[in-house]
Amino acid sequence: MSNAWLLVLGANSDIAVATARRFAKEGWNIYLASRDMDNLAKEAANLRLRYEVEARETFFDAIDFASHQAFYAALDPKPAGIIVAFGFLGDQPAAQKDFSIAKKIMESNYTGAVSILEVIAQDFEARRSGFIVGISSVAGDRGRASNYIYGSAKAGLSAYLGGLRHRLAKSSVHVMTVKPGFVATKMTAGMDLPKKLLASPQELAEAIYHGILASHNTIYTKKIWRLIMLIITHIPEKIFKKTNL
Ligand SMILES: NC(=O)c1ccc[n+]([C@@H]2O[C@H](COP(=O)([O-])OP(=O)(O)OC[C@H]3O[C@@H](n4cnc5c(N)ncnc54)[C@H](OP(=O)(O)O)[C@@H]3O)[C@@H](O)[C@H]2O)c1
């Protein structure tokens, strides 16, 4: 679909960069929106050069809720598709002691997405077209001691995206929820993660691109995570409390 614009929110994320490139390869023009403008400008130049598409960088802060209406109003032309990629893992033990960290985790993964997506949903609903991709996480499928503040924000995001999908289906707007397991990005750098369960940002980009073509509702990446989370969510609490999962 050339000449159409894709808006990537949190465009400096490694998954977002790979996904923007995947869409640009198919001729999509790209709005790269995030906070680090130097990085965005470099990547926009790269997209223009490598894929001969239009690419523009624009400042977007997911937790500056008051700015979201004006941010979206300024986009001309309006995008045909949106990817919400911003997110913040944070430090769980630190967040247990300091609510400002917990708040940042919740706002960066949940409230910010609700704030901007409600603005975009109104426009897509009125135009009766478009797609929205929200990157949630398997961490939202069950709360665990090691990351339950991040996980609870992602659980909220998954439920929100499900509701938005239900609402917008009547207007021919498709909403896809992405639930990655482990992905090799700067978010997980330095973590000792099992290689077989670790996806690359490029694998995510392929899955997102094809998921949109196929109008999938929820995708797990890697696919094995659907089975893993099915098992994890069915472990009775009595047993789960004794595990170190
Ligand atoms: N990596 C994983 O294993 C994994 C697993 C499951 C889900 N996910 C989710 O996948 C998404 C992408 O993750 P990733 O690993 O690609 O991330 P990443 O490489 O660590 O990048 C995250 C990006 O989010 C942006 N961001 C954070 N707060 C923001 C805010 N307030 N406003 C605008 N941008 C903000 C940052 O942009 P700036 O640089 O511009 O500040 C940063 O570059 C996230 O939602 C994450 O939770 C990741």
Side-chain angles (χ1 to χ4, degrees):
M1 190 176 179
S2 68
N3 293 325
W5 283 82
L6 177 75
L7 169 61
V8 185
L9 297 165
N12 282 320
S13 112
D14 293 338
I15 295 171
V17 169
T19 308
R21 289 178 186 176
R22 186 65 186 84
F23 276 79
K25 195 175 156 195
E26 306 298 331
W28 282 76
N29 299 315
I30 312 285
Y31 286 118
L32 297 171
S34 207
R35 299 172 301 186
D36 183 335
M37 294 303 285
D38 288 346
N39 261 346
L40 291 184
K42 277 185 210 144
E43 184 54 22
N46 178 47
L47 291 176
R48 286 191 290 269
L49 189 70
R50 270 174 69 179
Y51 303 106
E52 296 181 341
V53 295
E54 288 189 61
R56 294 181 200 160
E57 66 274 18
T58 172
F59 184 85
F60 172 76
D61 185 346
I63 61 177
D64 181 7
F65 314 124
S67 69
H68 290 176
Q69 197 94 40
F71 161 80
Y72 190 69
L75 298 180
D76 183 22
K78 291 287 180 261
I82 311 286
I83 301 197
V84 173
F86 54 81
F88 175 60
L89 182 59
D91 180 327
Q92 168 72 29
Q96 288 166 200
K97 294 186 198 92
D98 180 347
F99 181 70
S100 69
I101 299 173
K103 185 167 173 273
K104 186 175 166 193
I105 295 172
M106 293 186 279
E107 291 187 343
S108 305
N109 292 291
Y110 175 67
T111 322
V114 175
S115 172
I116 186 63
L117 285 179
E118 284 306 307
V119 174
I120 293 168
Q122 267 198 39
D123 177 44
F124 279 20
E125 196 168 43
R127 286 159 50 198
R128 300 189 65 79
S129 72
F131 66 81
I132 294 168
V133 176
I135 306 186
S136 185
S137 171
V138 296
D141 283 6
R142 186 164 195 174
R144 290 180 299 125
S146 59
N147 68 355
Y148 64 85
I149 295 177
Y150 171 79
S152 66
K154 290 299 196 187
L157 178 62
S158 296
Y160 171 81
L161 291 168
L164 193 63
R165 174 162 48 245
H166 193 205
R167 165 185 161 196
L168 295 180
K170 293 168 193 66
S171 312
S172 307
V173 177
H174 185 59
V175 178
M176 183 170 85
T177 309
V178 182
K179 293 186 177 179
F182 304 134
V183 190
T185 68
K186 58 181 178 292
M187 188 175 275
T188 54
M191 292 183 189
D192 187 19
L193 300 169
K195 289 228 160 40
K196 281 200 170 151
L197 296 179
L198 188 64
S200 66
Q202 291 72 24
E203 276 179 82
L204 264 286
E206 278 305 316
I208 291 170
Y209 182 72
H210 289 288
I212 281 299
L213 286 187
S215 296
H216 285 320
N217 295 311
T218 298
I219 59 170
Y220 282 80
T221 54
K222 301 175 173 269
K223 284 184 182 163
I224 185 72
W225 280 99
R226 189 182 285 274
L227 177 64
I228 295 171
M229 296 317 295
L230 184 72
I231 295 167
I232 290 181
T233 52
H234 281 81
I235 300 173
E237 283 290 344
K238 259 189 181 176
I239 299 169
F240 195 72
K241 283 192 284 187
K242 294 177 186 151
T243 68
N244 283 320
L245 280 170

